[in-house]
């Protein structure tokens, strides 16, 4: 009898520990804001090939088969009409120094806007760290759950 109780307790502990470490996929801007407001770690993963790419003011037919990601650490949320905006959105950005195969050492600046409608706009720029010359400027357009997946932990 005691052995069955010990097994039952162990099973409950194992199942509980598995649930604690799992990421939760976020399906809307409301989900993202709830996660951020409760202090959760939110990450966005971009599947560029599933996005519409605008480079040098023209749509690019061949989008790279690449994946990128960023954490939404520093962000601002703007409710509808709070700054003259027709739609509520969240804005976040991040800049990291990288070594790019063709561009050399550059700042990789990424800025994302997630809209209430589920649309997402990601701007990616490569900036020379010495001259601050803009080396590349691309905009990716997608929606939550398609070319961009959001997770909270």
């Amino acid at each position: 009898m005691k052995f069955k109780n010990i097994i039952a307790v162990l099973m409950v502990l194992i199942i509980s520990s598995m649930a604690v470490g799992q990421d939760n996929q976020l399906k809307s801007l409301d989900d993202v804001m709830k996660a951020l407001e409760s202090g959760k770690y939110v990450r966005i993963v971009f599947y560029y090939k599933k996005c519409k790419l605008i480079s040098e003011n023209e749509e690019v037919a061949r989008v790279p088969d690449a994946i990128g990601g960023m954490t939404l650490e520093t962000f601002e949320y703007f409710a509808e009409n709070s700054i003259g905006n027709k739609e509520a959105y969240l804005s976040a950005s991040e800049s990291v120094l990288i070594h790019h195969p063709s561009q050399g050492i550059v700042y990789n600046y990424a800025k994302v806007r997630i809209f209430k409608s589920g649309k997402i706009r990601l701007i990616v720029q490569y900036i020379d760290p010495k001259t601050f010359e803009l080396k590349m400027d691309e905009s990716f357009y997608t929606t939550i759950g398609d070319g961009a997946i959001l997770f909270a932990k």
Side-chain angles (χ1 to χ4, degrees), residues 59-74:
E59 186 171 351
V60 177
R62 278 194 68 211
V63 180
D65 189 4
I67 300 171
M70 66 186 283
T71 305
L72 304 182
E73 289 187 38
T74 303

Side-chain angles (χ1 to χ4, degrees), residues 48 51-55 58-64 138-141:
Y48 296 115
C51 300
K52 176 180 172 184
L53 169 58
I54 304 293
S55 183
E58 291 188 18
E59 186 171 351
V60 177
R62 278 194 68 211
V63 180
E138 296 180 336
S139 295
F140 294 88
Y141 297 87

Side-chain angles (χ1 to χ4, degrees), residues 47-107:
Y47 297 88
Y48 296 115
K49 194 169 184 99
K50 294 182 176 184
C51 300
K52 176 180 172 184
L53 169 58
I54 304 293
S55 183
E56 297 179 16
N57 295 318
E58 291 188 18
E59 186 171 351
V60 177
R62 278 194 68 211
V63 180
D65 189 4
I67 300 171
M70 66 186 283
T71 305
L72 304 182
E73 289 187 38
T74 303
F75 68 91
E76 291 184 303
Y77 170 79
F78 298 96
E80 182 180 343
N81 294 318
S82 62
I83 55 170
N85 52 314
K86 293 181 181 177
E87 185 176 5
Y89 71 91
L90 173 138
S91 182
S93 64
E94 163 177 296
S95 181
V96 293
L97 192 63
I98 65 167
H99 183 270
H100 187 274
S102 64
Q103 299 288 338
I105 296 174
V106 292
Y107 283 117

Side-chain angles (χ1 to χ4, degrees), residues 109-129:
Y109 173 71
K111 177 175 87 170
V112 64
R113 281 193 180 172
I114 304 168
F115 295 90
K116 179 80 173 169
S117 63
K119 292 180 181 177
I120 294 178
R121 177 181 176 198
L122 171 67
I123 296 173
V124 179
Q125 299 175 331
Y126 291 161
I127 302 166
D128 185 291

Side-chain angles (χ1 to χ4, degrees), residues 132-149:
F132 292 99
E133 174 190 354
L134 185 62
K135 300 279 202 166
M136 184 201 74
D137 187 11
E138 296 180 336
S139 295
F140 294 88
Y141 297 87
T142 189
T143 56
I144 295 173
D146 186 24
I149 310 294

